[in-house]
Amino acid sequence: MFPASRYSIQAQRCIRALKTVKADHAPPQLYTWRWKCSSAVTPRITSHYTICPRDKDPRWEGVEMERFADEADVVIVGGGPAGLSAAIRLKQLANEQEKDLRVCLVEKASQIGAHTLSGACLEPSALNELFSDWKERGLMAPTHDLVAPSLPMNNHGNYIVRLGHFVRWLGEQAEELGVEIYPGYAAAEVLFHEDGSVKGIATNDVGIAKDGSPKDVFERGMELHAKVTLFGEGCHGHLAKQLYRQFNLRENCEPQTYAIGLKEVWLIDEKKWRPGRVEHSVGWPLNRNTYGGSFLYHLNEGEPLVALGFVVGLDYTNPYLSPFREFQRWKHHPFIAKTLEGGNRIAYGARALNEGGYQCLPKVTFPGGMLIGCSPGFMNVPKIKGTHTAMKSGMLAAEAIFPKVTAKDLASETAGLHVPEYEDNLKKSWIWKELYSVRNIRPSFHNYFGLYGGMVYTGVFYWILRGKEPWTLKHAGLDSAQLRPAKECTAIEYPKPDGKLSFDLLSSVALSGTNHEGDQPPHLTLKDDSVPVANNLAIYDGPEQRFCPAGVYEYVPLETGEGMRLQINAQNCVHCKTCDIKDPSQNINWVVPEGSGGPAYNGM
């Protein structure tokens, strides 16, 4: 999408460095050494260096580990709405004031938008601020006659978009302004100065075999250093998790709570197509104590396409629940089936989303860096919208950074710039007001009546008080702690897919275009390989088999025929992060695979 010929000279040099820095190492040898990180009685699963250090592995002796380093004024991790909006705003300000500012953005997907998934019904408030002439720039045609459900999901004046296409357009605007964009390079590590402030990021190494040994083509990642680094990885970013711990950013907020959103795109009978139509539902087929709902959007792209999806709160308690199969069952509701019958499903994907809102917002500034977008969690859950708030957070970050990084006399107590003005500006912005007004809607569902109690609360207090009630409700806590033991729950019998409206998991994953280099360490790492069988399977009947929307996890018999083992099909992973969130043992740690690996969404 971003051909090298269109990059700046600096960008081209950086790309050449990324592609050609080879590590010299000793000729490969055969070793009989076993990983000490795997016990003698547990089949070895994890071989990633974050769990099994290379300095203790003789196969890495003599391998050159020095990394090439490059400097920028600002480095941005993540090519989503927040990261691209921040990059665009920075270059707008630099161009307006004729300042020289180097902004580099890295994105793990092979092209901008390929890992992006959302509904999406776009509220254009932030877009209007970023580009007042966006309609003239040919972004999207307006939609009309939107069906506006009951508050707070009023969609009048919004636009139905495919978010992958939208961020691709943002990427093109950013590139025209001079932003250096590097798709296909995953940020794998946060780098720190000696004083503890953030120095930048390192991209991931490539050319590592599945058993963790270096291949002949091993290449070290490169370092990107910056005055300030913005982390816009999206929901539950793996670098953000490190930053929360390093700087204690979640000290004064509640644990984040999440949902998983599953989505399909269908080509339907043109007679049933109503461009611009928006449909939402809550509840069914979930029970009253499981939070969830659906969307069905009729796209306005010249052909009869609909985007539909189902969202399930990850604070559910029954380990037998399968979000994917609930989604497939939902499509058989007569109201939904009548739209889909006779159509063809052409795309599938899934992604976790933040649902904690105001109560779960962490501190977003720290020496050398900032959190933007869905990484800290600016989604408005009742609206089912977060793109506009993500974009605005990126713009606010850019506006706070710009005078600091362009100052002639750069005064800072730390080597990496600390810009607390970003958080101050956030609290003065419409993002804060919006999230505060709806702060009690999601946690209000934690009551004896569940869904019904929450709807009554929303109807009374949102409609009458608009979030001005003098109390703030709390969430239930970590989603990973909500599962009950399998023996206390009833197994859920799901109907078999009919191949017309509902489908099996693997044929669905095939529509996501997901692909990873097969001979690399699984990026779904386990802190302890023995925990899945000893804890998750023994107590919860292996819930990872059901909460994963891509068939990554399955329990299979041991080769001896005695007992079971966990098998990780990492090549299926759609990067939704659900396993890292919902694992009851918190034993799974999602890290980035080799750059470009993952889904290949086309406008999801």
Side-chain angles (χ1 to χ4, degrees):
M1 174 188 159
F2 299 104
S5 61
R6 296 175 64 186
Y7 288 132
S8 68
I9 294 175
Q10 284 179 312
Q12 292 181 39
R13 289 173 181 167
C14 194
I15 287 176
R16 284 197 295 270
L18 283 164
K19 290 183 176 179
T20 62
V21 174
K22 301 269 186 180
D24 296 324
H25 58 84
Q29 301 178 38
L30 295 177
Y31 290 93
T32 57
W33 177 81
R34 277 185 64 86
W35 289 99
K36 293 183 180 179
C37 58
S38 180
S39 73
V41 296
T42 302
R44 181 176 132 206
I45 302 172
T46 302
S47 57
H48 198 275
Y49 71 90
T50 56
I51 304 296
C52 303
R54 295 167 177 164
D55 59 1
K56 298 179 181 179
D57 183 348
R59 298 174 299 177
W60 285 88
E61 291 179 2
V63 176
E64 176 60 56
M65 299 299 285
E66 184 178 356
R67 289 189 288 219
F68 174 83
D70 199 7
E71 298 277 348
D73 293 298
V74 180
V75 166
I76 300 173
V77 179
L84 287 165
S85 295
I88 287 168
R89 188 69 189 120
L90 280 166
K91 292 301 286 187
Q92 285 176 336
L93 291 168
N95 294 345
E96 288 168 7
Q97 299 185 29
E98 298 183 346
K99 300 277 189 178
D100 185 23
L101 187 73
R102 187 181 182 201
V103 179
C104 294
L105 183 150
V106 295
E107 163 58 38
K108 64 184 175 67
S110 59
Q111 61 180 9
I112 297 295
H115 287 182
T116 301
L117 183 146
S118 182
C121 194
L122 176 68
E123 185 172 315
S125 50
L127 179 59
N128 289 332
E129 295 179 27
L130 189 63
F131 291 114
S132 60
D133 63 342
W134 61 267
K135 293 181 182 179
E136 288 71 38
R137 291 171 179 254
L139 172 55
M140 52 194 173
T143 57
H144 304 284
D145 304 317
L146 294 185
V147 177
S150 59
L151 289 168
M153 293 188 292
N154 188 342
N155 284 290
H156 182 71
N158 296 334
Y159 292 80
I160 301 171
V161 300
R162 292 206 264 174
L163 197 61
H165 290 168
F166 176 63
V167 298
R168 185 169 64 189
W169 179 85
L170 284 177
E172 292 166 355
Q173 309 311 304
E175 188 184 41
E176 288 178 7
L177 287 166
V179 177
E180 299 174 25
I181 298 177
Y182 301 109
Y185 296 100
E189 182 184 342
V190 182
L191 304 175
F192 297 94
H193 290 285
E194 290 184 3
D195 64 3
S197 60
V198 171
K199 185 177 185 179
I201 59 94
T203 62
N204 61 325
D205 299 342
V206 298
I208 304 174
K210 192 170 186 177
D211 65 359
S213 62
K215 300 178 185 177
D216 289 338
V217 294
F218 171 75
E219 292 184 12
R220 196 79 160 106
M222 76 166 290
E223 296 185 3
L224 282 171
H225 302 167
K227 299 172 184 175
V228 182
T229 304
L230 303 187
F231 295 87
E233 305 168 274
C235 175
H236 206 65
H238 85 291
L239 296 184
K241 288 195 306 176
Q242 299 174 34
L243 294 167
Y244 292 146
R245 294 190 295 268
Q246 181 77 13
F247 296 104
N248 203 16
L249 301 178
R250 304 203 67 90
E251 181 181 17
N252 298 314
C253 68
E254 292 186 40
Q256 186 62 262
T257 185
Y258 303 87
I260 178 174
L262 305 104
K263 178 182 176 181
E264 294 176 351
V265 176
W266 283 61
L267 184 66
I268 63 168
D269 184 340
E270 192 166 1
K271 296 177 182 178
K272 303 176 182 179
W273 182 41
R274 303 290 181 268
R277 183 179 177 87
V278 173
E279 302 171 10
H280 286 119
S281 72
V282 294
W284 193 88
L286 303 173
N287 64 31
R288 75 170 193 268
N289 293 315
T290 303
Y291 185 87
S294 72
F295 64 87
L296 196 159
Y297 302 151
H298 291 245
L299 303 176
N300 189 7
E301 297 184 357
E303 57 181 336
L305 294 171
V306 295
L308 58 147
F310 200 77
V311 178
V312 179
L314 289 177
D315 55 356
Y316 67 82
T317 60
N318 189 340
Y320 292 109
L321 188 146
S322 165
F324 172 81
R325 299 187 76 176
E326 295 289 350
F327 176 32
Q328 300 305 309
R329 181 159 64 172
W330 165 78
K331 290 184 290 181
H332 284 274
H333 190 284
F335 190 78
I336 306 302
K338 68 180 182 182
T339 299
L340 302 181
E341 286 172 349
N344 292 309
R345 186 179 65 149
I346 60 174
Y348 166 82
R351 186 68 169 94
L353 53 144
N354 301 321
E355 288 202 334
Y358 177 83
Q359 293 92 320
C360 301
L361 290 176
K363 183 176 176 60
V364 294
T365 64
F366 43 89
M370 300 176 176
L371 299 174
I372 59 175
C374 288
S375 184
F378 293 119
M379 179 175 170
N380 183 324
V381 179
K383 279 187 175 182
I384 325 179
K385 291 176 180 62
T387 303
H388 65 303
T389 51
M391 292 178 66
K392 180 63 175 177
S393 72
M395 294 159 64
L396 289 170
E399 290 163 359
I401 289 170
F402 181 76
K404 301 270 187 177
V405 298
T406 56
K408 291 184 178 179
D409 298 320
L410 190 62
S412 175
E413 295 181 359
T414 54
L417 285 178
H418 188 201
V419 189
E421 291 85 352
Y422 165 51
E423 188 156 335
D424 296 337
N425 295 341
L426 263 176
K427 293 178 179 178
K428 297 174 185 176
S429 73
W430 52 257
I431 295 178
W432 214 259
K433 295 175 183 176
E434 183 175 314
L435 295 185
Y436 184 81
S437 70
V438 298
R439 70 194 183 283
N440 286 331
I441 293 179
R442 176 65 174 90
S444 72
F445 283 72
H446 293 295
N447 64 82
Y448 176 78
F449 299 104
L451 170 67
Y452 309 115
M455 293 180 70
V456 170
Y457 184 96
T458 300
V460 173
F461 290 100
Y462 184 82
W463 175 260
I464 297 174
L465 298 178
R466 294 290 175 156
K468 295 178 181 178
E469 60 265 36
W471 59 81
T472 297
L473 302 179
K474 291 187 175 182
H475 295 283
L478 287 169
D479 294 334
S480 58
Q482 304 308 311
L483 284 182
R484 293 159 53 197
K487 65 182 181 182
E488 299 177 10
C489 302
T490 302
I492 302 174
E493 295 293 331
Y494 290 104
K496 291 183 179 181
D498 65 359
K500 297 177 181 178
L501 295 179
S502 52
F503 303 89
D504 66 89
L505 189 55
L506 293 183
S507 68
S508 300
V509 175
L511 291 177
S512 70
T514 298
N515 184 54
H516 295 88
E517 162 61 46
D519 189 17
Q520 67 173 306
H523 63 283
L524 296 313
T525 69
L526 303 180
K527 299 172 187 175
D528 185 335
D529 287 351
S530 68
V531 165
V533 171
N535 191 74
N536 289 14
L537 183 61
I539 300 174
Y540 303 101
D541 199 24
E544 54 270 69
Q545 301 175 104
R546 292 176 285 275
F547 60 58
C548 174
V552 170
Y553 302 95
E554 59 179 322
Y555 285 92
V556 298
L558 285 168
E559 286 72 11
T560 61
E562 298 179 3
M564 305 289 283
R565 64 177 178 88
L566 178 66
Q567 178 168 294
I568 298 180
N569 305 308
Q571 68 276 14
N572 286 6
C573 179
V574 294
H575 297 200
C576 74
K577 313 291 182 66
T578 303
C579 57
D580 196 309
I581 296 165
K582 189 61 177 173
D583 175 17
S585 305
Q586 284 299 278
N587 187 49
I588 298 172
N589 185 43
W590 192 100
V591 299
V592 289
E594 289 190 2
S596 298
Y601 296 140
N602 180 15
M604 287 290 276

